[in-house]
Structures are given as structure tokens and as C-alpha cells.
């Protein structure tokens, strides 16, 4: 057994609530990387996320609402398996909600207020678009910018093409 320790540039793989009654912990104890809720005694209260997909990193926790926002991959059957999406779930594992429904990779940063998220949406075959989302609903508030690839296209650059091959 081992404890997953994140490097200094990544958020920790665990979070202890201010009252000390809940620990949200990332673990592969069921064979997939998921979130678990532990008590102050170290015993499992409940599995927060589950299934044949992978939780990435926790990006926000609201202790008052008892909700966790995190990235995940491979959950949506119609999405490219390597693109991460943003989700929200309650501490008890109910209410799992996809907040970034676009089939794109979502690199997200939560605002200091915890009300918004800056979402850098990208696909290998199109320019990155940066949008501001409402963190509670995932609704796009406004587009902030879209990468301009016109100078690249002018010199003959072409974007990559996704493909699937049997291994």
C-alpha cells in the first residue's frame, strides 16, 4: 500500500474539512482513481465517485454545501477518453453533475470567490477557446478569448486529426 502524495505544483490528493469531520481522499482502492469520504477515525464513510472512469484533481470544495468540484476522464461515452471534464458531486456521492458538456479538454481554474471558473477548452483539431463559467451550473457566462491561428494557417500549418486504431 502507499499514500498518493502530489508534487508541490499539484493540489494535494486529500482535503480535511475545517471541522475535522470529513476527509475527501483520492484513492484507487476500487481499481479506478476515485474520491472517498473518510471520517476523523480514518474509516470510510462512503465512496463519493465510482465507476469505470478516472477522477483527476479536485479543483474546489464547498464545505458549507458539502460539494466537491473535480476533473474526470472517460465517464461520458460520446467524448474522447483523454479529454478531461469538470464535474460536481455531493460529499455523500449523490448529485454527480457534468458541468462542461462540450467534447473538449477542459483545463479549469476556479476564481477566488468560488463563483466562477475560467475554462480553457481545446481539441487537437481546433484553436483553444477560453470561457468564463458559472461554477454552480456550468453555464457559459461569456467567451473571454479564442486563439488566433491565422498566421499559422498562412504558412501552411494544419491541425492534427484524431483517429482511432485497434491495439
Amino acid at each position: 500500500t502507499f499514500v498518493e502524495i502530489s508534487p508541490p505544483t499539484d493540489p494535494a490528493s486529500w482535503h480535511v474539512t475545517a471541522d475535522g469531520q470529513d476527509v475527501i481522499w483520492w484513492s484507487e482502492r476500487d481499481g479506478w482513481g476515485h474520491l472517498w469520504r473518510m471520517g476523523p477515525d480514518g474509516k470510510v464513510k462512503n465512496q463519493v465517485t465510482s465507476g469505470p472512469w478516472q477522477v483527476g484533481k479536485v479543483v474546489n470544495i464547498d464545505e458549507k454545501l458539502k460539494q466537491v468540484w473535480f476533473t474526470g476522464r472517460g465517464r461520458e461515452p460520446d467524448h474522447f477518453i483523454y479529454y478531461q471534464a469538470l464535474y460536481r458531486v455531493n460529499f455523500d456521492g449523490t448529485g454527480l453533475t457534468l458541468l462542461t458538456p462540450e467534447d473538449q479538454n477542459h483545463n479549469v481554474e476556479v476564481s477566488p470567490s468560488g463563483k466562477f471558473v475560467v475554462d480553457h477548452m481545446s481539441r487537437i483539431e481546433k484553436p483553444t477557446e477560453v470561457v468564463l463559467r458559472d461554477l454552480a451550473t456550468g453555464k457559459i457566462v461569456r467567451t473571454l478569448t479564442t486563439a488566433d491561428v491565422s498566421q499559422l494557417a498562412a504558412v501552411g500549418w494544419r491541425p492534427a486529426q484524431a483517429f482511432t486504431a485497434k491495439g
Side-chain angles (χ1 to χ4, degrees), residues 30-159:
D30 72 347
W32 294 88
H34 281 293
L35 300 176
W36 294 75
R37 181 180 174 206
M38 316 294 278
D41 59 359
K43 293 183 180 174
V44 173
K45 286 187 172 183
N46 62 278
Q47 187 171 1
V48 179
T49 60
S50 62
W53 55 282
Q54 185 82 7
V55 167
K57 66 181 180 178
V58 171
V59 297
N60 191 55
I61 292 182
D62 188 318
E63 293 182 19
K64 187 176 180 181
L65 295 175
K66 294 195 176 287
Q67 294 182 326
V68 182
W69 284 259
F70 62 92
T71 60
R73 302 173 196 270
R75 183 174 182 273
E76 310 309 317
D78 58 336
H79 288 191
F80 187 54
I81 194 167
Y82 294 112
Y83 290 159
Q84 68 181 3
L86 178 65
Y87 297 89
R88 180 188 65 238
V89 69
N90 297 318
F91 278 18
D92 66 4
T94 62
L96 180 63
T97 305
L98 172 65
L99 297 172
T100 53
E102 303 84 4
D103 184 16
Q104 299 187 48
N105 190 62
H106 297 272
N107 185 4
V108 297
E109 301 167 50
V110 177
S111 70
S113 71
K115 293 181 180 181
F116 300 98
V117 63
V118 176
D119 180 5
H120 301 254
M121 301 189 305
S122 62
R123 291 182 60 88
I124 64 170
E125 72 276 8
K126 68 181 258 187
T128 299
E129 181 179 14
V130 182
V131 299
L132 183 67
R133 291 182 184 271
D134 180 295
L135 187 61
T137 64
K139 180 182 178 216
I140 294 175
V141 176
R142 72 172 17 161
T143 298
L144 300 175
T145 189
T146 301
D148 179 3
V149 296
S150 60
Q151 290 181 342
L152 286 170
V155 295
W157 174 82
R158 293 182 305 168

